[in-house]
Amino acid sequence: MIVQWCIKGLSLPNDAAAEDIISERAGLLCNWWRDVHRITPPEVRDRLTLQNLNFHVNHFSSINPTTGRPFGELTPFISLSAGVVERDQAAQTNNVHRAQRTALRFGSRFGRDNTAYLVICWLVVGLRESVEIEGVAEEVRDLNTYRRYSAFQTEGEIVAKVIVPDNQIKSCQKWKRDHPKQPFRLSHTYENPRFTQPDRLSNIRGLL
Amino acid sequence: MSLDHLSYLNIDVEYVNRAVDFLEAYGRGTLEEYRARVDERNNRFNPVRDPELDQPSDAEWVMQADAASALREAAQWAVFLDLERARNLLVQAAVVYNDLGYAFGMYLMVVAGSWALDPPWEVFTRAIEDLRTLHGQGAESASERTHQQELSQVPPPMHYPQQQAYCLAACTGSRAVAREFWPTLYELARDSPHRLGVTPVGALGTAIRRFWEIALYLLPSSQKPQVDSQEPQVGRVLDHLVAMSRVYSEAMGLASANSHLWRHASAPVEPADMDIVGLTTLAVYRFGRQAVQQAFLERGRDLIPVARTPIELGIELASPPDDSPQGANSPIRVE
């Protein structure tokens, strides 16, 4: 397993909503939890499946015939961006992008809004497919679906399950631009006083 | 019409506009961030002049590469809306790729910039020498140590076959360079193992052999007495481009299954694939618009509208700017 820094781009109604992400200490919740307000462990087990992950990644806005609602509205997964910045891959594909770019794009509703909020956090990512394991995030780039139509996975997408815990969130940043043709600039950062550094998970032991 | 292509792809022009604006602004902002960081490093008080401290950091490389990628992605969307803006964006991306040592930058400058007709000779001379070194040409009389020294001077990205493919296409795609270096380029194109290679290149994973063959056939014909096939070169180039377009069409079809990203012009694919678009543009420069259109008509009859998109965009992109000394409608004439 690895510890991966990620960014979640969010479109929020106002700064108060951004502050609430930190102050309410709830972490980042999946759309399913936010919709039903209360979930149980057996329900979580039932939803963490490869099929649902496929729906989340590839059919986010398609209608689930079981619920009559888009898959994305009731997904137990949370997509975040880790970026694609490997030099080897860059020389082969001419493509690099930081997580910040993807997060700003999603957070601004694909460029529609002049404000975007970026949540900076870390996740524990499994090195192999482990969709049933709640505490470990998935690397979407390893899903066969993307490999079939793109020789390079440009999103650098990481998928967390059900929740990104509060103490894994470092901060929530507000980014703004004056005009759609201007770049976004960092406007304000809401730091999380309860943030826990991931190096506590390190397997490197110091000399005694 | 490029807007028709967006219609075939079922992508709203409004989302494409937003994508171009966002990506161009992001690329510009990232370059500003990069320059500020370089200035800070250069202005840092370093009395010992420790070379380690003066080296570009990984973070700086990431910023440059991120900016180049964003500008390129903006350009490939702009091709559908505004060809002049697309060319400008491709040139902006090319400048950064060149700074990073990526031959992809040379390719973009020939496709969209001034290098097709007005190449910087020192750049191409060095690039061709690098290609020769990487292929061991001219190394027969040199010692192994000399050859290793020469190899170590080649920019790291050029060691990748993919960058060599773009480099060769840039060289043979530039009229003046093709004329000046014809014997060397022909030998490289003909004898390289990449001519039979299957290394994937670009977003569509095109086998490098296709790039290499296209580059070979972009060379002026009158100095190639041993062309294997009797078909005109333009036909062979279009054979490859049509084959690439079929793969492109399938990729777009699969990508569009994610309607959420597809509608918002955010799927991890490039509808104006710069490999097909750029190589088509080079073909127009070489053979003339009419010859390329005729060859496409003959070979692309059964292509669906989506599959026709990148070749048709490449033909449109090759329209000359008003002040070009030679039009894209006139093929190369070897004097």
Side-chain angles (χ1 to χ4, degrees), chain A residues 44-55:
Chain A
V44 170
R45 297 287 83 72
D46 289 344
R47 278 163 178 75
L48 296 185
T49 64
L50 260 181
Q51 176 163 283
N52 281 343
L53 181 58
N54 178 45
F55 289 149

Side-chain angles (χ1 to χ4, degrees), chain A residues 57 87-88 91 94 98 105, chain B residues 58 66 97 160 163 258 265:
Chain A
V57 170
R87 287 196 188 231
D88 276 350
N94 306 303
R98 294 181 292 176
R105 199 145 176 211
Chain B
D58 245 15
D66 187 21
Y97 279 119
Y160 290 88
Q163 294 302 317
N258 187 333

Side-chain angles (χ1 to χ4, degrees), chain B residues 111 256 303:
Chain B
V111 168
S256 64
L303 290 180

Side-chain angles (χ1 to χ4, degrees), chain B residues 83-115:
Chain B
L83 289 172
E84 205 48 47
R85 188 178 183 187
R87 291 190 194 97
N88 287 334
L89 288 166
L90 286 172
V91 168
Q92 288 178 54
V95 168
V96 186
Y97 279 119
N98 282 335
D99 205 28
L100 289 167
Y102 282 44
F104 185 65
M106 294 174 60
Y107 168 77
L108 293 183
M109 282 300 285
V110 174
V111 168
S114 59
W115 289 14

Side-chain angles (χ1 to χ4, degrees), chain B residues 257-290:
Chain B
N258 187 333
S259 57
H260 178 65
L261 296 183
W262 184 259
R263 274 188 304 114
H264 290 99
S266 294
V269 290
E270 295 198 343
D273 180 82
M274 285 316 303
D275 290 344
I276 304 174
V277 170
L279 290 171
T280 302
T281 299
L282 295 184
V284 172
Y285 293 160
R286 164 70 175 89
F287 303 108
R289 176 188 300 272
Q290 205 168 350

